[in-house]
Amino acid sequence: MPAPKVWVTGLTVGAIAAVAVLAVKADEGTKPTATAPRPSASASAQPSASPTKSTAAAVPDDSGTGRRVVYSLAAKRVWLVDASDAAQRTFPVWPGTVSPDPGSYKVDVRRDATTGSDGVQIEHIVYFASKSGLSIAFSNAVDGSSPPAVASGTQTSGIRMGKADGSALWTFGETGTAVVVVK
């Protein structure tokens, strides 16, 4: 009976040979190539005078200029806008029952984590306004969930978002950052 070293060596050589054969076969196959998309026959030869934007991606016209966080009450959406007025990110939000009035604000306080008024653990809390005795802030649930339904008559002022969006707003919304609330 051959020694165990001989068996191991034989199996290793066989495995290497099999992998080499498979690699050669794979190299003989067709290879993907990138091709530029062809314009359709109905496409105009002239560029459009004004590029179209997705409604969700378009920063609201009445939101000012410069680096800012824009919050649309009607769209339930936030935009992170850079100094050149380009949206760096936009995402939907879940507003509380108390909303800030339209206008311009500044991020005045930031807090890493706490428990929200609905009992949910939240993080990335970015405060910017107050109304009806409540502080209004952006935040996200630690577990990434949407806020639970609140009891009728309960006042909540948190504006929740998904976890990745909360992280992005936390990074963008330093103390002093402009926040513009539009209808």
Side-chain angles (χ1 to χ4, degrees), residues 86-101:
Q88 295 302 301
R89 186 180 186 110
T90 183
F91 45 89
V93 295
W94 300 284
T97 60
V98 176
S99 295
D101 293 324

Side-chain angles (χ1 to χ4, degrees), residues 10-177:
L11 290 173
T12 303
V13 170
I16 292 172
V19 169
V21 168
L22 291 173
V24 169
K25 291 282 188 192
D27 195 44
E28 293 172 355
T30 60
K31 294 176 181 55
T33 57
T35 59
R38 297 176 186 253
S40 68
S42 64
S44 167
Q46 296 296 324
S48 170
S50 61
T52 59
K53 289 185 178 181
S54 162
T55 303
V59 178
D61 291 333
D62 56 347
S63 68
T65 59
R67 188 177 187 282
R68 64 200 182 279
V69 175
V70 177
Y71 171 41
S72 170
L73 299 169
K76 297 180 183 176
R77 179 166 286 279
V78 166
W79 289 261
L80 306 180
V81 183
D82 68 17
S84 69
D85 291 324
Q88 295 302 301
R89 186 180 186 110
T90 183
F91 45 89
V93 295
W94 300 284
T97 60
V98 176
S99 295
D101 293 324
S104 295
Y105 304 89
K106 293 224 182 267
V107 172
D108 57 357
V109 175
R110 292 165 32 108
R111 188 166 181 186
D112 291 331
T114 192
T115 301
S117 58
D118 55 7
V120 173
Q121 292 296 311
I122 58 174
E123 64 184 354
H124 303 132
I125 306 118
V126 178
Y127 295 92
F128 67 93
S130 62
K131 184 175 178 182
S132 302
L134 299 172
S135 295
I136 298 175
F138 298 111
S139 66
N140 64 272
V142 171
D143 67 2
S145 65
S146 63
V150 296
S152 179
T154 302
Q155 291 190 325
T156 60
S157 58
I159 302 162
R160 297 272 174 82
M161 59 203 64
K163 192 167 179 77
D165 298 325
S167 293
L169 193 140
W170 177 258
T171 301
F172 187 88
E174 299 167 344
T175 302
T177 299

